[in-house]
Amino acid sequence: MNFDSRRVQLVLALRKAGITDSKVMAVMESIPRNIFLAPILVKHAYEDVALPIGFEQTLSQPGVVGIMTQALDVTDRMKVLEVGTGSGYQTVVLSRLVRRVYTIERHRELLEKAEKRFKELKISNITAKYGDGTFGWKAQEPFDRIMVTAASLDIPPILADQLSIGGIMVVPIGQTSDLQSILKVKRTEDGFETEEIREVSFVPLIPAEV
Ligand code: SAH
């Protein structure tokens, strides 16, 4: 089976998993997930599983990328912050749906590899930097949307503070890897509203010594 038909197969699986947003589906269908993986793992690129990318980190399961992207509820005018660039796959999905993506990664090597992929795909609306994403990106706040792709114990307060009014943050919250939920946090005029999207398992968000 060639990559294109595998990709179509993956999208059908995502649809079954409950992803209904046609823009999210179309974008995921158009992105070659294989280029985000080491050669030895490429054969698994279109399976609905999380895959290792080094440093004990993983490229998120496509079903989870789809659900989180759908929950973020973006438009093409938005400025989005992503915490945890990892392979860059989720970053690229977002870059095709919004105006600009700012992304932060705490492993230099992962960041460099991801940036090479952005160039290879000729994407010009991603700004990436090395650092501890729990501090957000002060110079660029407020953000219309914030996506966190590593699990946090609580809603990261500095990130919540960098959301615009009406802004949404999607973040996996939980104590241990088997007790996490994806939360959708909406900033209102006088506080925050939260909604649980689904249970999930993510690698932890780790404060970096940078
Ligand atoms: N969206 C990525 C998921 C990567 S896993 C993908 O699809 O490939 C989570 C990533 O978050 C890892 O790369 C990890 O290094 C990064 N991370 C963890 N804690 C972080 C922090 N405090 N600041 C920035 N990145 C962090």
Side-chain angles (χ1 to χ4, degrees):
M1 207 189 305
N2 63 29
F3 279 130
D4 283 338
S5 51
R6 284 190 200 170
R7 217 143 67 208
V8 171
Q9 193 186 40
L10 174 71
V11 169
L12 291 176
L14 295 182
R15 211 160 260 160
K16 268 196 197 144
I19 293 144
T20 49
D21 187 318
S22 55
K23 273 196 203 150
V24 173
M25 296 294 286
V27 161
M28 289 186 68
E29 196 174 357
S30 74
I31 298 168
R33 194 166 179 255
N34 51 297
I35 72 159
F36 297 86
L37 292 165
I40 195 169
L41 293 169
V42 161
K43 58 180 179 290
H44 302 294
Y46 296 99
E47 292 167 18
D48 195 16
V49 290
L51 294 164
I53 55 172
F55 305 97
E56 295 174 5
Q57 305 303 320
T58 55
L59 167 59
S60 306
Q61 195 184 341
V64 172
V65 172
I67 283 165
M68 289 182 71
T69 308
Q70 180 170 285
L72 204 63
D73 198 13
V74 294
T75 71
D76 58 9
R77 304 180 68 95
M78 289 179 171
K79 179 164 96 172
V80 178
L81 174 67
E82 180 196 36
V83 173
T85 318
S87 68
Y89 178 70
Q90 172 77 73
T91 326
V92 170
V93 171
L94 289 170
S95 78
R96 298 259 166 98
L97 293 163
V98 307
R99 184 168 57 81
R100 178 153 288 276
V101 185
Y102 293 86
T103 184
I104 309 172
E105 170 57 52
R106 65 181 288 275
H107 281 294
R108 272 190 207 283
E109 205 177 314
L110 290 177
L111 183 71
E112 280 164 16
K113 281 188 186 162
E115 286 191 291
K116 266 194 203 138
R117 293 170 182 136
F118 304 154
K119 272 207 188 109
E120 200 178 318
L121 292 167
K122 298 189 169 56
I123 296 172
S124 56
N125 65 340
I126 296 174
T127 311
K129 77 168 182 184
Y130 167 73
D132 184 348
T134 55
F135 294 109
W137 198 315
K138 188 80 185 150
Q140 292 299 336
E141 68 163 335
F143 294 95
D144 302 303
R145 298 290 186 262
I146 299 178
M147 166 85 85
V148 184
T149 73
S152 184
L153 286 183
D154 289 302
I155 296 169
I158 300 175
L159 295 182
D161 200 48
Q162 293 185 9
L163 267 182
S164 58
I165 306 291
I168 292 171
M169 167 160 56
V170 172
V171 52
I173 297 286
Q175 307 283 337
T176 61
S177 61
D178 53 344
L179 267 183
Q180 296 169 359
S181 289
I182 298 171
L183 284 197
K184 178 171 176 171
V185 180
K186 187 167 184 179
R187 184 166 196 176
T188 62
E189 289 284 353
D190 33 47
F192 294 91
E193 284 168 7
T194 60
E195 181 193 335
E196 187 178 334
I197 303 297
R198 76 160 232 208
E199 290 183 356
V200 77
S201 173
F202 266 86
V203 294
L205 188 70
I206 304 162
E209 306 95 49
V210 291

